[in-house]
Amino acid sequence: MRIAIASLAATIALVIAGCSPSPTPPKIEAKPARAALPDYYGTLEPFASDAVYFVLTDRFVNGDPSNDHRDQGKAKGDAFYTFDRPVPGAPAGKHDNVGYLGGDFKGIADHAQYIRDMGFGAVWITPIVDQPDEAFTGGEPAKWEGFWTDGGKTGYHGYWGVNFYQLDEHLPSPGLDFRGLTKTLRAHGLKTVLDIVANHGSPAYTMPVDQPKFGEIYDSKGTLIADHMNLPPEKLDPKNPLNAFYNHKVGIAQLSDLNEHDPHVLPYLVGAYEQWIDQGADAFRIDTISWLPHSFWHAFSQKIREKRPGFFMFGEAFDYDAKKIAEHTWAENANVSVLDFPLKQALANLFEKPAGDFASLAEPLHLTGGPYANPYELMTFYDNHDMPRMNASDAGFIDAHNWLFTARGIPVIYYGSEIGFERGTAEHAGNRNYFGVERIEAAKTHPIQAALTRIAKVRAASPALQRGLQINIELQGDRAAFYRVYQHDGKHQIALVLLNKGDAPTKFSITQMLQAGQWRSGFDNSVRDVAVGGALDSEVAAHGVQVWLLDAPISNPALVAALGAAMADKGVRKH
């Protein structure tokens, strides 16, 4: 009874309330919309977050001896076998090899954590497609310190493709094909950069007797679709469909030169490389991009990005003229990044010589007024497999890494550089020698590797170092100081980089464009409070680096002005 009375009273109250006029809601003053922060960035390319470790797969680690194929070609004699072919003429204590040495997918997978622990976010591997099954008997014999001498050489490096749809048998293991490798790398936080070739196939002529697969190309079903027939290019028959796949001009050494005008070539290559994207390739490195016309690469990149919008690619245009290699970066051409050869030349000259001057890097950086579509997306490096390794001291390698992982661009480190492996050696003189498990273990306590890991991890955690605009403060002698600044989509960070390549500690007192706030060290999170108009004082050890970070909207007027000018220039490349 009490429940019913209470319910009735509540109902009457609600009715009375419904008959009363509604109270006037309080007036809410509209807050002015917060002005959007201006954008400051060098690039928004996602791949810029990932420093790259470059592995020549056959020379890294032999993880599975069962796929070595050590008897391959032996039945035909010493001129044909493929495993372990020392280069003749080596001086005492030196060696090089033009045969297979056993490195494979399992060798990379087994040491993926080693690569990740150094602070890398991607692994670039050499081409994975099927190669000839014998050593090449034509051409000029490979010799100590020879270059483009392919006689007696094998396809251990992967650049002599004969079936672009098929894995070379030296690479996979049971349960670990290319898809398995990319999946394993991804589980360790690593992307896969696949090296691709479209300019040429395998060596094709000058053989005493025509050899199987050389100068031949097969499709996805294993059908022969092109054959050079051991003929020099000028003797190919354009009416023969098997010859039409090739140009009738001499290319690199005796390699079969693909005919970019043949209507079957582009679809063949696009189909093959789309297959590898489906199996996990995250980016492409394009071999010998400058040997094919811009129109071919424009069509190729368009086709790839139709399948995978935004797919990142960078080309190898082996030229030290920035204006020439920049053409590949323009939207009307390939619209890809490139390896920064002009800066590479300056870096090697600087870090190989203790008396080198940081000022020499100002021009090849091309931060303003340069020819590139975007210099911040270039792949920066100091050596690779096609040139002598950098001939620097341990301190020189440390200084080089301190620069590469803080300055503009996406750093690429060639396997073994973390211990100065084979420093100074060229191709056919040790540049591509086998690395192996023992050296990986030794590297874990090496001073170059320790310093590399230290700065690489700072870059991996800093959006400013990955994508920020670079504003130079000082590039002189042994000292360098510059800002990297990123402000976009709610994120804002200023990185102040201080480098010392000298043999003694040096002190910096930075006031130029310095924003007030609480700066923290990228290495140990120690803090420095900087007042308006104050200075940031920091001592940098010999061959050392310091990175100070400020996570705050950019407000210093002088810095804002410099960044505004840099953003305006970045959008207008000079060509």
Side-chain angles (χ1 to χ4, degrees), residues 3-203:
I3 294 174
I5 294 173
S7 175
L8 178 62
T11 302
I12 293 170
L14 286 171
V15 172
I16 294 173
C19 296
S20 302
S22 301
T24 303
K27 188 175 182 181
I28 300 174
E29 295 291 337
K31 292 183 179 179
R34 180 177 293 181
L37 294 173
D39 276 343
Y40 302 125
Y41 56 82
T43 177
L44 298 179
E45 168 57 52
F47 197 84
S49 64
D50 301 303
V52 180
Y53 189 74
F54 171 30
V55 170
L56 205 161
T57 306
D58 178 73
R59 301 306 168 85
F60 189 54
V61 173
N62 187 349
D64 179 9
S66 72
N67 62 17
D68 289 354
H69 298 279
R70 298 190 179 213
D71 292 332
Q72 193 174 65
K74 272 194 173 182
K76 293 180 68 172
D78 291 346
F80 300 91
Y81 73 90
T82 62
F83 193 87
D84 190 9
R85 298 182 62 89
V87 173
K94 299 288 186 178
H95 65 95
D96 189 77
N97 207 290
V98 290
Y100 287 88
L101 293 179
D104 47 33
F105 288 167
K106 191 170 188 303
I108 296 173
D110 287 349
H111 297 90
Q113 195 59 45
Y114 164 76
I115 298 170
R116 182 61 176 167
D117 286 345
M118 283 191 285
F120 291 96
V123 180
W124 158 13
I125 62 173
T126 39
I128 60 176
V129 302
D130 191 37
Q131 305 288 296
D133 299 333
E134 299 175 356
F136 181 53
T137 60
E140 182 183 346
K143 58 186 177 182
W144 187 256
E145 294 186 328
F147 186 66
W148 284 353
T149 55
D150 290 339
K153 195 173 182 177
T154 67
Y156 73 89
H157 42 69
Y159 296 96
W160 292 357
V162 294
N163 189 331
F164 290 69
Y165 289 80
Q166 180 178 320
L167 277 179
D168 188 78
E169 66 274 11
H170 296 84
L171 300 175
S173 299
L176 190 69
D177 56 7
F178 181 66
R179 189 188 301 275
L181 174 65
T182 61
K183 183 177 180 180
T184 299
L185 291 177
R186 195 167 290 119
H188 288 273
L190 295 165
K191 295 176 182 176
T192 302
V193 180
L194 179 61
D195 207 324
I196 68 168
V197 186
N199 172 66
H200 61 265
S202 60

Side-chain angles (χ1 to χ4, degrees), residues 357-570:
D357 190 339
F358 266 120
S360 64
L361 301 185
E363 188 276 333
L365 280 174
H366 291 292
L367 296 179
T368 59
Y372 301 106
N374 190 337
Y376 291 88
E377 294 174 4
L378 300 182
M379 312 303 291
T380 53
F381 68 110
Y382 50 72
D383 68 15
N384 65 24
H385 60 319
D386 287 328
M387 61 184 65
R389 284 181 179 260
M390 188 167 72
N391 192 16
S393 65
D394 284 8
F397 277 95
I398 290 170
D399 293 333
H401 297 154
N402 287 341
W403 170 271
L404 281 177
F405 284 82
T406 55
R408 73 103 175 108
I410 305 171
V412 180
I413 303 298
Y414 186 34
Y415 81 97
S417 295
E418 64 269 32
I419 63 171
F421 180 58
E422 293 286 357
R423 65 191 84 196
T425 62
E427 183 184 358
H428 294 177
N431 173 290
R432 303 177 179 182
N433 276 344
Y434 183 76
F435 199 50
V437 174
E438 290 184 3
R439 289 190 179 91
I440 286 177
E441 288 305 310
K444 295 176 182 178
T445 57
H446 198 283
I448 297 177
Q449 200 256 28
L452 166 62
T453 300
R454 183 171 181 262
I455 190 59
K457 288 187 173 181
V458 173
R459 184 186 190 275
S462 169
L465 294 183
Q466 296 165 13
R467 300 185 180 88
L469 287 168
Q470 180 167 338
I471 305 295
N472 291 335
I473 302 170
E474 176 185 1
L475 293 177
Q476 191 68 43
D478 291 336
R479 293 160 54 94
F482 51 86
Y483 291 111
R484 298 292 307 279
V485 183
Y486 181 84
Q487 183 166 275
H488 176 72
D489 197 24
K491 294 181 180 179
H492 29 250
Q493 185 178 77
I494 307 172
L496 171 61
V497 177
L498 308 174
L499 298 170
N500 173 25
K501 70 178 189 66
D503 293 330
T506 190
K507 293 182 178 180
F508 289 83
S509 183
I510 303 299
T511 59
Q512 186 177 346
M513 296 179 282
L514 185 68
Q515 184 163 315
Q518 188 175 81
W519 293 75
R520 62 181 174 86
S521 168
F523 296 105
D524 60 13
N525 286 322
S526 60
V527 298
R528 298 282 178 87
D529 290 313
V530 176
V532 175
L536 196 157
D537 299 320
S538 186
E539 182 173 278
V540 180
H543 304 288
V545 56
Q546 181 57 271
V547 178
W548 292 99
L549 302 170
L550 180 65
D551 297 304
I554 290 76
S555 60
N556 179 281
L559 184 58
V560 166
L563 293 169
M567 283 294 289
D569 178 87
K570 187 172 68 67

